[in-house]
Amino acid sequence: MNLSAEKACRKWPYSCGGRARAAKMVTAVTALAILGALAAPAAAARRPVAFPWGDLFGEKKPKLRRAALPPSVPLPKPRPAEAPAKEPEKPEPAKQAPAETAKPAETAKPVEPATPPPPSACRLALTEEIAIAPSIPDIHGPGGCGGEDLVRLEAVVLPDKHQVALKPAAILRCKMASAIADWVRTDVAPLATSLGSVISVLDNFDSFECRGRNRVAGAPLSEHGRANALDVRALKLANGQSISLTDRTVSRDLRESVLHAVCARFMTVLGPGSDWYHEDHIHLDLMERHNNYKICQWNVWDPLPQIAPLLPAGRPDEAPPREVAAKSDAAGPAKSDAAKPDTAEPEGGDAEPATKPPATKQLETKKLATKKLETKKLETKKRR
């Protein structure tokens, strides 16, 4: 220490002691910092990570637990030399192969078809001796379209084995097909024989069609959509004659006989006069209604007159000119009215009246006019 420092220390002893203590504290802190830096990695590995501000909010540090040591597992003893040789194990895929091949075999089994329901009484009754009508699968369409116990009516077999074809074939319920067959066999066939021929074709205008009534959008489902209706246009005979049921030229008695037959057999009959949708065909169906209510609307119209009304006849050549005729017609009534008081009968009653009736005067004027015309014609002929 130099002289100035010693003098200062003697003068201010506390200041010199404070500096010494401060120097000792600095050296101690630096030594501790070095030791802490050396021990920090090992301590950090043993202590959990904590947020630096954890101590500020009074959070407790988690307690350290001892690391669980793995238990000592005994190893298997070595295989003795005198043990028999071990067979090689089969690979696992070979074991699983049968199981994998068995799965497709299970799925590949054919599904047993459901047993069809027994045929209905109508199907049993509608034999090939009555109609050619093979059964078809049930139809389940949108909006309730379709039905069950359906057939495709291809022809009706008459009692003499003659077949009446439906062109085209109609898809109908069995009951509707049976009603059509009975109608053709019982009513239509005798009608054709009365005309001197045999019925050969029934003109099918429409049968099954999934639609509303009269094809109107939003209308209730038609009986055609339920395969319960048939539209008939004409009956064709073997001799080539075609009988249109709505043709006015066809005999009225024949059309009325068909009308009475269908209205007795079917629940609904619509034809000319019912609405303008059925002016060219006859609609037949078996719609079920309350109390078996029936609708039969078919007006059998009278035939139109074959000769049109006569037009006014042409004016004959010998007729007087129109001016002369008009004057005579106008003068006739006036003269007759004026002549009435002068035409009193005489007392004797046998004498002729003083004046002739107006009708004789008109005849005379017409005769004069005709004579004039004849003379004019002769003159024109002479000139030619």
Side-chain angles (χ1 to χ4, degrees), residues 40-370:
R46 280 178 275 151
R47 114 178 129 221
V49 179
F51 291 103
W53 56 82
D55 294 339
L56 297 176
F57 298 100
E59 294 182 358
K60 295 181 179 180
K61 295 181 180 180
K63 294 180 179 180
L64 296 176
R65 297 181 181 179
R66 290 184 180 180
L69 296 175
S72 58
V73 180
L75 297 174
K77 294 180 180 181
R79 186 177 182 82
E82 61 273 10
K86 188 178 179 180
E87 295 180 359
E89 295 181 357
K90 295 180 181 180
E92 292 183 357
K95 292 180 180 178
Q96 296 178 356
E100 291 178 358
T101 54
K103 287 181 181 178
E106 291 177 359
T107 56
K109 287 182 179 179
V111 180
E112 295 182 359
T115 57
S120 62
C122 175
R123 176 69 269 184
L124 294 174
L126 193 63
T127 60
E128 293 183 354
E129 297 179 355
I130 297 175
I132 307 300
S135 298
I136 62 174
D138 299 341
I139 298 176
H140 299 285
C145 281
E148 300 176 354
D149 196 16
L150 303 178
V151 300
R152 185 175 64 252
L153 184 60
E154 299 175 357
V156 177
V157 182
L158 299 180
D160 59 355
K161 306 303 179 181
H162 179 76
Q163 293 186 4
V164 180
L166 270 79
K167 292 187 178 180
I171 296 176
L172 301 169
R173 297 192 182 198
C174 181
K175 290 184 178 180
M176 184 64 188
S178 179
I180 294 293
D182 292 342
W183 170 55
V184 172
R185 287 164 57 91
T186 308
D187 299 325
V188 180
L191 184 65
T193 55
S194 66
L195 298 175
S197 183
V198 180
I199 182 171
S200 60
V201 176
L202 186 68
D203 186 3
N204 170 23
F205 186 59
D206 192 15
S207 57
F208 171 70
E209 184 181 358
C210 187
R211 60 174 175 83
R213 294 178 184 173
N214 299 323
R215 295 184 177 85
V216 177
L221 182 64
S222 172
E223 290 301 305
H224 287 281
R226 297 186 176 94
N228 199 31
L230 181 70
D231 288 346
V232 181
R233 237 185 338 199
L235 309 173
K236 295 182 180 180
L237 305 183
N239 60 4
Q241 184 181 0
S242 179
I243 302 173
S244 177
L245 299 179
T246 59
D247 188 2
R248 292 189 175 191
T249 60
V250 176
S251 171
R252 183 184 177 90
D253 295 336
L254 188 148
R255 288 180 289 148
E256 284 184 348
S257 62
V258 176
L259 168 65
H260 296 319
V262 293
C263 287
R265 291 182 177 276
F266 299 96
M267 301 301 295
T268 307
V269 177
L270 300 176
S274 60
D275 52 38
W276 67 276
Y277 296 101
H278 301 90
E279 292 297 322
D280 59 346
H281 66 275
I282 306 300
H283 170 90
L284 310 172
D285 69 46
L286 289 177
M287 181 179 180
E288 296 180 358
R289 297 186 184 88
H290 185 63
N291 291 334
N292 294 326
Y293 179 73
K294 289 186 176 184
I295 294 177
C296 183
Q297 297 179 356
W298 176 8
N299 293 337
V300 179
W301 302 117
D302 291 328
L304 295 172
Q306 296 180 359
I307 300 174
L310 296 176
L311 296 175
R315 188 176 182 79
D317 296 336
E318 62 274 8
R322 293 186 181 276
E323 295 178 357
V324 176
K327 288 180 180 179
S328 62
D329 292 339
K335 290 182 179 179
S336 61
D337 292 338
K340 281 181 181 179
D342 298 334
T343 57
E345 292 183 0
E347 295 179 357
D350 296 331
E352 294 181 359
T355 58
K356 294 181 180 179
T360 55
K361 289 184 178 180
Q362 291 179 4
L363 291 172
E364 289 178 357
T365 53
K366 288 181 180 180
K367 288 179 181 180
L368 293 172
T370 52

Side-chain angles (χ1 to χ4, degrees), residues 27-49:
T27 55
V29 168
T30 54
L32 290 172
I34 292 168
L35 293 173
L38 294 174
R46 280 178 275 151
R47 114 178 129 221
V49 179

